[in-house]
Amino acid sequence: MTARIPEDLRGEHHPGRWWHALDDGRIQCDLCPRDCRLHEGQRGACFVRARVGDRMVLTTYGRSSGFCVDPIEKKPLNHFLPGSAVFSFGTAGCNLACKFCQNWDISKSRDMDRLMDAASPEAIAQAAKASGCRSVAFTYNDPVIFAEYAMDAADACREAGIETVAVTAGYISPEPRREFYSKMDAANVDLKGFTDDFYVKLTGAKLAPVLDTLAYLRHETKVWFEITTLLIPGRNDSPEEILALSKWCARELGPDVPLHFTAFHPDFKMTDLPPTPASTLARSRRIAMDEGLRYVYTGNVHDREGGTTFCPSCGSSLVVRDWHRIESYRLTADGHCPDCDTAIPGRFDAFDMQRQFGRRRIPVSVRR
């Protein structure tokens, strides 16, 4: 007897990659470590990858929850084309279940009607170029779960001379990870915490695959990447946990990978906690820097000290930021300190203070 396909899975879908058939009649999704095993008509934990017939399909290919032009510092990326505009979009769903999700209306959505905008990969690249953006960011929800769409868009962007950025939790299996990041120029990876207990209880995932992704990016790719940890009061902000995280980053990734500690605000299923105190961010930044990390930032707060890029050799203030706005910029066009000629790691070019994008956020439409 053939299982009935649910109404919302009827019609055309994009063929999914990274799956295989099991001996018991189910198919297994091999995209992320969840290894979802599906009967006919079932969806994976991400909700957007589903079984239709004897194949895996992606239900959100070519459909977005909206398009915006953002500052690149919002991703956050401080060492990748500072001051530039980035064309940002996401779809729906997520393969994590973070109780503190701050984009929960998109990432936790099971309502495909949220996907109001449709665009081909080529249309996205052209819209980014027409908007004056240097890059396209796959963001708002995790691009891992719409990898086929993101990868095709990345190919189109490369043809148009546009860079691509993945804003992700890094929860992806080895084979698709290799294919996915071969298309990306930059990434910001959310390192949610530094204990398995935190990951299991508050995200429904595990820590080890994320650490594997970070090590892979550092040692086996040329992708520029930065790390963000959202500090949640009483959950992942203890000095001991920050010290362990910082020691691991210094040992496994080296001192030059930028690390952002950002402030939590009550949202989704964690509205009973207070916002992160600025003192917690400053303390965490100091712990990380004391462990040898050279570029440690604070985010979601006004903090010029925590937003500034300092030269690790002579201590000069090179890029002074207030939230997403650059207040002063002294790097040379090729990313060197003008005082001692130390090279600052990242992707830099000539900077014009008058043309920086600043703290704006501009919704845009895309013609298919």
Side-chain angles (χ1 to χ4, degrees), residues 183-239:
K183 308 286 187 180
M184 302 297 149
D185 297 294
N188 185 285
V189 179
D190 284 331
L191 180 54
K192 307 285 185 177
F194 206 69
T195 67
D196 247 340
D197 186 66
F198 178 91
Y199 262 88
V200 170
K201 291 180 178 178
L202 295 183
T203 77
K206 294 182 179 179
L207 172 61
V210 183
L211 300 184
D212 289 345
T213 291
L214 290 170
Y216 173 80
L217 287 171
R218 173 65 181 86
H219 298 292
E220 299 187 48
T221 78
K222 295 182 179 179
V223 175
W224 175 257
F225 73 100
E226 304 184 19
I227 301 170
T228 296
T229 299
L230 182 76
L231 295 183
I232 305 173
R235 299 297 188 272
N236 66 348
D237 65 340
S238 72

Side-chain angles (χ1 to χ4, degrees), residues 228-268:
T228 296
T229 299
L230 182 76
L231 295 183
I232 305 173
R235 299 297 188 272
N236 66 348
D237 65 340
S238 72
E240 295 77 16
E241 185 165 341
I242 299 304
L243 179 61
L245 184 156
S246 301
K247 283 181 176 293
W248 184 89
C249 287
R251 183 179 68 251
E252 302 296 333
L253 307 179
D256 290 333
V257 176
L259 173 61
H260 302 253
F261 291 118
T262 58
F264 161 87
H265 66 260
D267 214 333
F268 195 43

